[in-house]
Amino acid sequence: MLRGPSITARTMAFVAIVCFSLLAIDGWNSWESRSDQLRQMSVAASNLARAMAQQADDTIKKADTVLVGMVERVEHDGTGPDAVARLRSVLARRIAELPQLDGLHVYDEEGNWVANSRTTQPENLNNATREYFVFHRTHEERGPHIGIPVKSRTSGRLLVPVSRRINHADGSFAGVALATIHIDFFMKFYDSLDIGEAGAVALVLENGTMMTRRPYGPAMVGRNMLETELFRSYVAQGPVGTVYIKSAQDGLMRLNSFRRLDNYPLFVAAALSKDEILVNWWRETLWHSGGVLLLTLIVAFIGWRLVRQFQLQTRTEAELRQTRDALETLNKTLNTLAMEDGLTGLANRRQFDVTLDSEYSRAARTASTLALIMMDVDCFKQYNDIYGHAADDECLQTIGCTIARLASRRPGDLAARYGGEELAVLLPNTDVAGAMILAERIRSAVRDLQIEHAGSADGFVTLSAGVDALSPAAGKPGQPKELIRAADKALYAAKSSGRNRVCASTVQPVAV
């Protein structure tokens, strides 16, 4: 009377533990997947910021290089009519060469135009009140100055001013050399970046002035950013950083990566919407978790049925046979899964070892030949370092499908993942020549996949293969391992001689 309740309690406890474990493992995997997705997007945002900083630095550097020449020419040649005429010609050529520039201008110490790059010279315009002009008049520094965005008085366009001070021979203030950059030039580059529907990018002066931003609006240009969380994070973390911030512009939570320009007092920020980052994760998690929940309910239901069966104790012989058959089918299924590599779908190492011993024994009995192809993906560590684990897995899956298609045309042939990026094909009743033909066909097919590989000399993913075959002597131990060693030796030779090739072993087959 005590045995029944005891078994029932243990069964219920076991089912509860299994159900809880399934849910806990699924939850842990989902959380790890979420963390991995956020880490990948953090790297992506950092790369965006790096590209933006480089583009802004290069753009301003080109303008500043022109300014250096303008200052030197004015200070050396003066501003006489002939010198100004030559200077206007030079400025017009520079504008034609640099599409990011709106104009190049030289002002005297009173703020009046001396020369510019336009074909039509402006009249009665004075820029002595502009921020950049006041800065140079009151500061003796000779370096470049990035001013706050201005609206052109001639074209009405928003511009980024880059300027340098011009001195008289005695060192006193003689005027300003100015280059103006189209804000649209930055926006065209920012529009080419993939930041999603709710992403944002920005270029900001270190004094807190917004230069431009995507999504763009004229009201954004020149906005004070000193009190925003983005600017405070930039000041706190230094020239490079990544932080989650609720945007002061639209209230969205974004992953922000910021970076200071190498040569100028500006920084860029690339922001990706956290909701967009996780949208695919949420979709996959809901589907996956729904499946796991369904499986848990099935397990719980089966457990409840088992408890009911224990309670009723009315199993018949037929039910026992059905249960036994179901368990045998389940065991066969599990055994099949245990013999298959989960990533590539090829046979795993365990099945390879079992099949090798079996085929070797068969070859010894029938005095037939057994061939082995050992293959290794070339420069695969570099591929992993460059493209990451996700691309690593996808590459192996693609190669595995190709090998399975080419190497499993006979019932006895076996394609297996031997370990890591090393693959093997076992070929009963095949000599070295036949194995070489198949190995070359596989090598060529993998090369023809044209999987990009920047770390490979060929530019694409390739593999090398070693081939050997033997006619085993009946009853002689150790031969399967010798076949593996010989094929591995040939594989090493293929690797050493330049990769992306097939080599046969120099070891002679063992006579029957």
Side-chain angles (χ1 to χ4, degrees), residues 190-461:
Y190 296 162
D191 287 341
S192 70
L193 302 177
D194 184 5
I195 58 174
E197 294 295 327
V201 293
L203 177 65
V204 185
L205 269 173
E206 285 197 324
N207 66 7
T209 301
M210 173 77 79
M211 305 299 280
T212 187
R213 179 182 186 271
R214 175 189 169 195
Y216 176 75
M220 298 288 183
V221 178
R223 182 173 180 175
N224 190 324
M225 301 287 290
L226 290 175
E227 299 303 320
T228 63
E229 188 66 27
L230 172 63
F231 191 85
R232 286 196 291 266
S233 298
Y234 170 74
V235 173
Q237 293 194 23
V240 179
T242 301
V243 65
Y244 282 97
I245 296 175
K246 188 173 184 179
S247 172
Q249 310 292 339
D250 51 27
L252 291 178
M253 180 63 72
R254 292 187 176 94
L255 172 64
N256 286 259
S257 181
F258 48 80
R259 178 178 291 268
R260 188 189 188 277
L261 273 62
D262 290 337
N263 300 301
Y264 301 99
L266 300 102
F267 70 93
V268 296
L272 302 177
S273 167
K274 188 175 182 181
D275 290 340
E276 287 187 343
I277 290 173
L278 295 176
V279 64
N280 289 332
W281 173 83
W282 274 113
R283 186 183 300 112
E284 293 174 2
T285 298
L286 288 175
W287 277 102
H288 182 265
S289 297
V292 171
L293 180 60
L294 179 61
L295 178 61
T296 303
L297 291 175
I298 292 173
V299 171
F301 175 74
I302 292 174
W304 177 79
R305 289 291 299 168
L306 289 174
V307 170
R308 291 289 298 170
Q309 289 172 354
F310 280 131
Q311 291 174 337
L312 296 175
Q313 297 182 355
T314 58
R315 294 176 179 168
T316 63
E317 189 66 21
E319 290 174 334
L320 288 175
R321 284 195 298 270
Q322 290 175 359
T323 302
R324 181 195 62 195
D325 293 342
L327 290 175
E328 288 178 354
T329 301
L330 180 59
N331 287 335
K332 288 179 181 178
T333 302
L334 293 175
N335 186 57
T336 299
L337 293 175
M339 292 292 190
E340 183 177 285
D341 177 60
L343 177 63
T344 63
L346 301 176
N348 61 14
R349 176 65 179 275
R350 178 182 175 189
Q351 185 174 357
F352 173 83
D353 290 339
V354 171
T355 305
L356 177 60
D357 289 339
S358 175
E359 291 299 335
Y360 175 78
S361 298
R362 186 195 306 274
R365 291 193 306 270
T366 60
S368 58
T369 304
L370 181 62
L372 175 63
I373 304 172
M374 295 296 289
M375 295 168 285
D376 188 83
V377 181
D378 297 325
C379 305
F380 200 68
K381 182 180 183 302
Q382 293 91 323
Y383 186 91
N384 181 277
D385 293 340
I386 295 171
Y387 300 101
H389 292 298
D392 177 322
D393 290 347
E394 184 177 356
C395 177
L396 282 179
Q397 288 172 341
T398 303
I399 292 174
C401 289
T402 301
I403 293 174
R405 174 172 52 83
L406 296 175
S408 301
R409 297 185 176 182
R410 300 183 305 175
D413 297 343
L414 179 73
R417 185 181 182 187
Y418 191 75
E421 69 274 17
E422 195 168 5
L423 307 161
V425 177
L426 193 63
L427 302 168
N429 298 312
T430 305
D431 57 13
V432 170
M436 286 284 288
I437 292 172
L438 177 58
E440 177 58 25
R441 190 178 300 148
I442 292 172
R443 181 207 65 77
S444 177
V446 170
R447 173 57 180 80
D448 290 342
L449 292 173
Q450 295 189 351
I451 301 173
E452 183 181 356
H453 188 351
S456 169
D458 192 58
F460 298 102
V461 171

